[in-house]
């Protein structure tokens, strides 16, 4: 339905022929009117020289065209991307006195929460004519790098900080709130310590944590599951928020851990993204590879890798399209790249036009493809599908500020992805096969056991002698209730299918009297009253007692008299 809507809107149909989405994405262009020079101050008409660190589209139905922008000066701006024409200045609101590294829209509400370098997160109401703060959340001791709302609970959000901790907040309360759950040292750095094993020898072993790794990204999978990534440990941790990690004295243990670092020598993850079904996780790592993990099973081996870009800083982010079929990421080579999910590690498109490192990116969740890229050239650009009218006018060529270039299908696999795939192949080949070994005691019993009259599936006219035929033992035969083979198994004359059908029908036609229990010859210890390990005794014999003990046992109290009598 989405490709048809796009084709009709932009006139890209020829009779009954309609172009696929992959072809439409090659029409992405950025016109000079869709290039914006940063966020303007409300008191100054001059453009800002501060870099943009975050951009996110609204998720509410009907408002997917609204995008929120944040820069290193602490300003927030809202932009309507449906406005096409002469670009207008984007005026911002001073939300923090330090850089804003991330922001997140509250589900089904006109609210935004921020992550700032001043160690606070602020919830803003943007439903009114002006942006106004609602609550301030304090508790971190370093810059906050990432925030994310619960997908269904708009009152719950999480924040990850450079101090190595994750805090879960409930926005219902007073102006200054306390974290509901604190995960301290969520991504510890393991160090090697020298341990003295003898008088002369020393060896290096993993010791307790010697440092704290910055939390670069937090992401809710559902209301009770939080996924986080670190800057140095190279692991993805999955946390169960039904546990109270605040009371933990040592390093908290995650519910699951995906050690991506085994595939590369460079650690660190810059951003995390989830597909709409919350089953596939995409981790943009510092080794120029975006890893695709199955978080339905939390398998540590990636199910896909995507490369071709350059990831030289943690400011470079990646995200998915609204339908989860395409992936976009910034790059240090002044371009943005788009991949098709499941089509291999090679990029599908390269967006060319920026003059510096492309950092944060955003993809509109609406039906019409619309992409925003922010770069260190203090420019953010809106990429749209070129209309049919613009495609046939050459005078608009000078007004184009960026174009999408398609990669050749024969493009070789990026070197970074090839190295990861080789490591994954070696890891899978080195894993020993998991076989179920039978204990030797069981094998010994099976070899020495003979079950006569329990072989219903051997034909009566078999060339083997009857005594050998009855001595054959298999577990299925040992548990078979059939007594003989002559009355149940037909001869091999005829079709094999008829033979199997006849054998099955005869088994169904058997009455209860034809069945015999495989334990019919074993003694019934419950009915006999004897233990399986006890010896059979004919009767109890009275022990010889001395005269005093024998006399005391004959004396019984009498209820009718106070004295005693001898029986």
């Amino acid at each position: 339905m989405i490709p048809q809507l796009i084709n009709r809107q932009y006139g890209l149909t020829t009779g009954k022929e309609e172009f696929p989405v992959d072809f439409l994405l090659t029409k992405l262009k950025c016109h000079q009117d869709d290039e914006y020079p940063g966020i303007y101050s409300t008191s100054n008409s001059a453009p800002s020289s501060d870099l943009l660190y975050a951009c996110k589209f609204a998720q509410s139905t009907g408002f997917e065209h609204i995008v929120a922008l944040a820069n290193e000066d602490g300003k927030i701006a809202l932009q309507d991307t449906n406005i096409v024409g002469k670009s207008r200045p984007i005026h911002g609101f001073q939300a923090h006195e330090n850089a804003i590294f991330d922001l997140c829209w509250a589900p089904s509400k006109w609210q935004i929460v921020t992550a700032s370098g001043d160690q606070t997160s602020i919830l803003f109401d943007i439903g009114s004519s002006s942006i106004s703060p609602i609550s301030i959340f304090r508790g971190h001791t370093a810059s906050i790098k990432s925030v994310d709302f619960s997908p269904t609970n708009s009152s719950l959000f999480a924040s990850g900080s450079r101090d190595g901790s994750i805090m879960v907040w409930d926005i219902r309360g007073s102006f200054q709130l306390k974290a509901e759950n604190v995960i301290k040292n969520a991504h510890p750095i393991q160090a090697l310590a020298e341990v003295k094993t003898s008088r002369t020898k020393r060896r290096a072993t993993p010791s307790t944590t010697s440092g704290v790794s910055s939390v670069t990204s937090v992401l809710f999978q559902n209301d009770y599951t939080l996924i986080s990534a670190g800057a140095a440990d190279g692991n993805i941790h999955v946390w169960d928020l039904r546990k109270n990690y605040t009371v933990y004295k040592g390093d908290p243990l995650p519910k699951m851990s995906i050690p991506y670092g085994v595939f590369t020598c460079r650690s660190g993850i810059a951003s995390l993204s989830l597909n709409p079904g919350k089953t596939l996780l995409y981790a943009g790592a510092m080794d120029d590879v975006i890893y695709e993990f199955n978080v339905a099973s939390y398998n540590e081996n990636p199910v896909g890798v995507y490369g071709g870009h350059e990831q030289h800083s943690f400011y470079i982010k990646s995200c998915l399209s609204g339908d989860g079929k395409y992936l976009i990421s910034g790059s240090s080579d002044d371009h943005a790249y788009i991949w098709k999910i499941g089509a291999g590690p090679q990029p599908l498109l390269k967006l060319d036009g920026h003059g510096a490192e492309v950092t944060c990116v955003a993809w509109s969740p609406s039906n019409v493809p619309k992409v925003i890229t922010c770069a260190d050239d203090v420019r953010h650009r809106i990429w749209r599908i070129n209309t049919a009218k613009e495609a046939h006018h050459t005078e608009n060529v000078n007004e184009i500020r960026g174009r999408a270039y398609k990669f050749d299908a024969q493009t070789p696999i990026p070197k970074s992805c090839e190295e990861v795939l080789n490591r994954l192949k070696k890891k899978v080949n080195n894993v020993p096969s998991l076989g179920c070994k039978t204990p030797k005691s069981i094998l010994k019993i099976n070899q020495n056991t003979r079950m006569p009259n329990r072989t219903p599936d051997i034909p009566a006219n078999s060339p083997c002698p009857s005594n050998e035929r009855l001595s054959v033992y298999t577990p299925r035969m040992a548990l078979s209730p059939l007594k003989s083979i002559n009355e149940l198994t037909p001869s091999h004359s005829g079709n094999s299918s008829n033979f199997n059908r006849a054998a099955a029908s005869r088994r169904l036609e058997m009455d209860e009297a034809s069945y015999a229990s495989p334990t019919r010859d074993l003694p019934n210890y419950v009915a006999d009253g004897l233990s399986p390990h006890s010896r059979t005794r004919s009767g109890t014999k009275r022990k010889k007692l001395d005269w005093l003990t024998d006399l005391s046992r004959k004396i019984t109290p009498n209820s009718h008299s106070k004295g005693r009598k001898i029986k």
Side-chain angles (χ1 to χ4, degrees):
M1 185 62 183
I2 294 177
Q4 289 82 348
L5 292 175
I6 299 172
N7 280 282
R8 286 196 296 268
Q9 179 174 355
Y10 289 93
L12 296 175
T13 57
T14 306
K16 295 183 179 180
E17 180 184 1
E18 293 185 348
F19 295 95
V21 179
D22 294 355
F23 175 79
L24 294 175
L25 291 178
T26 61
K27 301 296 182 180
L28 284 173
K29 290 182 174 63
C30 175
H31 292 260
Q32 63 178 3
D33 292 338
D34 283 329
E35 184 182 32
Y36 295 87
I39 301 177
Y40 288 75
S41 176
T42 55
S43 59
N44 190 1
S45 59
S48 174
S49 60
D50 298 312
L51 305 178
L52 291 177
Y53 284 164
C55 61
K56 295 286 182 66
F57 275 98
Q59 303 297 320
S60 301
T61 304
F63 299 95
E64 298 91 346
H65 57 283
I66 304 297
V67 65
L69 306 167
N71 67 359
E72 65 175 345
D73 190 39
K75 294 185 179 66
I76 293 179
L78 300 178
Q79 184 176 356
D80 186 355
T81 59
N82 280 346
I83 298 178
V84 181
K86 186 67 177 178
S87 61
R88 297 180 299 175
I90 305 299
H91 294 279
F93 170 79
Q94 193 69 41
H96 292 268
E97 297 301 327
N98 206 321
I100 299 176
F101 295 106
D102 194 16
L103 56 84
C104 183
W105 292 80
S108 67
K109 284 187 178 181
W110 278 95
Q111 295 177 348
I112 288 179
V113 68
T114 58
S116 175
D118 60 5
Q119 306 174 11
T120 65
S121 293
I122 301 180
L123 181 69
F124 291 94
D125 181 15
I126 59 176
S128 58
S129 58
S130 62
I131 301 176
S132 58
I134 300 175
S135 301
I136 300 178
F137 304 89
R138 294 185 174 92
H140 287 289
T141 58
S143 301
I144 302 176
K145 304 296 293 183
S146 177
V147 287
D148 188 53
F149 264 102
S150 173
T152 58
N153 188 358
S154 59
S155 301
L156 196 69
F157 78 93
S159 60
S161 172
R162 190 171 287 173
D163 61 8
S165 63
I166 299 173
M167 295 187 178
V168 182
W169 309 85
D170 193 335
I171 67 175
R172 296 166 293 189
S174 61
F175 189 75
Q176 295 183 2
L177 303 174
K178 185 179 180 181
E180 298 290 332
N181 205 343
V182 180
I183 307 175
K184 297 180 180 179
N185 205 8
H187 292 268
I189 303 175
Q190 298 292 336
L192 294 178
E194 289 187 352
V195 179
K196 189 175 182 180
T197 57
S198 63
R199 291 178 179 267
T200 57
K201 295 182 178 181
R202 294 177 180 269
R203 62 184 178 90
T205 58
S207 66
T208 57
T209 59
S210 62
V212 176
S213 174
S214 172
V215 178
T216 57
S217 183
V218 291
L219 193 63
F220 274 93
Q221 186 179 10
N222 52 54
D223 289 341
Y224 305 107
T225 306
L226 184 69
I227 303 175
S228 65
D233 66 336
N235 293 329
I236 299 173
H237 289 171
V238 183
W239 307 96
D240 187 356
L241 296 183
R242 290 170 292 187
K243 295 182 179 180
N244 187 5
Y245 295 96
T246 309
V247 299
Y248 277 41
K249 294 183 179 180
D251 293 336
L253 297 177
K255 172 185 174 182
M256 298 294 296
S257 180
I258 303 176
Y260 109 92
V262 298
F263 301 104
T264 179
C265 59
R266 296 168 57 185
S267 300
I269 297 175
S271 62
L272 297 175
S273 302
L274 275 172
N275 69 332
K278 308 295 183 182
T279 57
L280 295 176
L281 177 70
Y282 298 87
M286 294 298 294
D287 58 352
D288 305 336
V289 178
I290 300 178
Y291 294 83
E292 180 183 12
F293 294 100
N294 185 351
V295 289
S297 61
Y298 300 112
N299 191 344
E300 65 178 19
N301 296 327
V303 297
V305 291
Y306 304 92
H309 65 299
E310 298 180 8
Q311 180 100 26
H312 295 170
S313 71
F314 286 96
Y315 294 99
I316 298 175
K317 308 295 182 181
S318 60
C319 71
L320 288 169
S321 60
D323 55 5
K325 296 182 180 180
Y326 297 92
L327 176 68
I328 183 173
S329 173
S331 178
S332 298
D333 60 358
D334 307 345
H335 301 99
Y337 291 85
I338 295 178
W339 295 265
K340 185 177 181 180
I341 299 301
Q346 300 92 338
L348 176 66
L349 298 173
K350 178 178 68 173
L351 303 183
D352 182 22
H354 283 287
E357 181 179 81
V358 181
T359 54
C360 55
V361 293
W363 194 304
S364 174
S366 61
N367 294 335
V368 180
K370 189 185 303 179
V371 175
I372 291 182
T373 58
C374 305
D376 286 352
D377 56 3
V378 200
R379 296 288 189 274
H380 72 277
R381 299 180 177 184
I382 302 177
W383 301 75
R384 310 176 192 269
I385 294 178
N386 198 14
T387 62
K389 180 180 178 181
E390 294 167 346
H392 293 85
H393 285 76
T394 58
E395 60 268 19
N396 294 327
V397 173
N398 295 329
E399 299 177 359
I400 302 299
R401 292 293 183 264
R403 297 177 181 273
Y405 294 93
K406 185 177 181 180
F407 279 83
D408 187 6
Q410 303 301 325
T411 303
I413 298 177
K415 186 177 180 181
S416 58
C417 295
E418 188 177 2
E419 294 176 355
V420 172
L421 293 175
N422 291 335
R423 291 191 184 97
L424 178 61
K425 185 178 180 180
K426 292 181 181 179
K427 179 184 177 183
V428 174
N429 294 335
N430 292 334
V431 174
S433 59
L434 299 178
C436 182
K437 297 183 179 180
T438 306
K440 295 182 179 180
S441 59
I442 297 179
L443 293 176
K444 185 177 181 180
I445 294 175
N446 291 344
Q447 293 173 359
N448 297 333
T449 306
R450 295 293 181 265
M451 302 294 293
N453 301 329
R454 300 288 200 281
T455 57
D457 292 333
I458 301 179
N461 57 356
S462 175
C464 299
S466 60
N467 57 349
E468 295 180 6
R469 191 165 60 245
L470 294 178
S471 63
V472 177
Y473 171 78
T474 61
R476 181 173 59 85
M477 297 175 184
L479 299 178
S480 175
L482 307 181
K483 295 187 298 182
S484 62
I485 61 175
N486 296 329
E487 60 185 30
L488 295 177
T489 307
S491 62
H492 275 297
S493 60
N495 192 3
S496 60
S497 61
N498 296 331
F499 164 75
N500 296 332
R501 192 180 301 109
S505 62
R506 292 189 182 186
R507 291 189 182 96
L508 295 176
E509 293 174 358
M510 293 175 59
D511 55 1
E512 296 181 359
S514 301
Y515 287 92
S517 173
T519 60
R520 63 173 181 238
D521 297 329
L522 297 179
N524 191 341
Y525 295 111
V526 178
D528 299 341
L530 299 176
S531 171
H533 303 287
S534 63
R535 297 180 179 179
T536 305
R537 294 176 291 180
S538 59
T540 58
K541 297 182 179 179
R542 186 175 180 181
K543 297 181 180 180
K544 293 183 180 181
L545 304 174
D546 56 355
W547 64 271
L548 184 59
T549 305
D550 188 36
L551 179 63
S552 63
R553 292 189 176 183
K554 292 181 180 179
I555 300 176
T556 58
N558 190 356
S559 59
H560 300 286
S561 61
K562 297 181 179 180
R564 300 186 179 185
K565 65 177 181 178
I566 303 297
K567 288 187 177 180

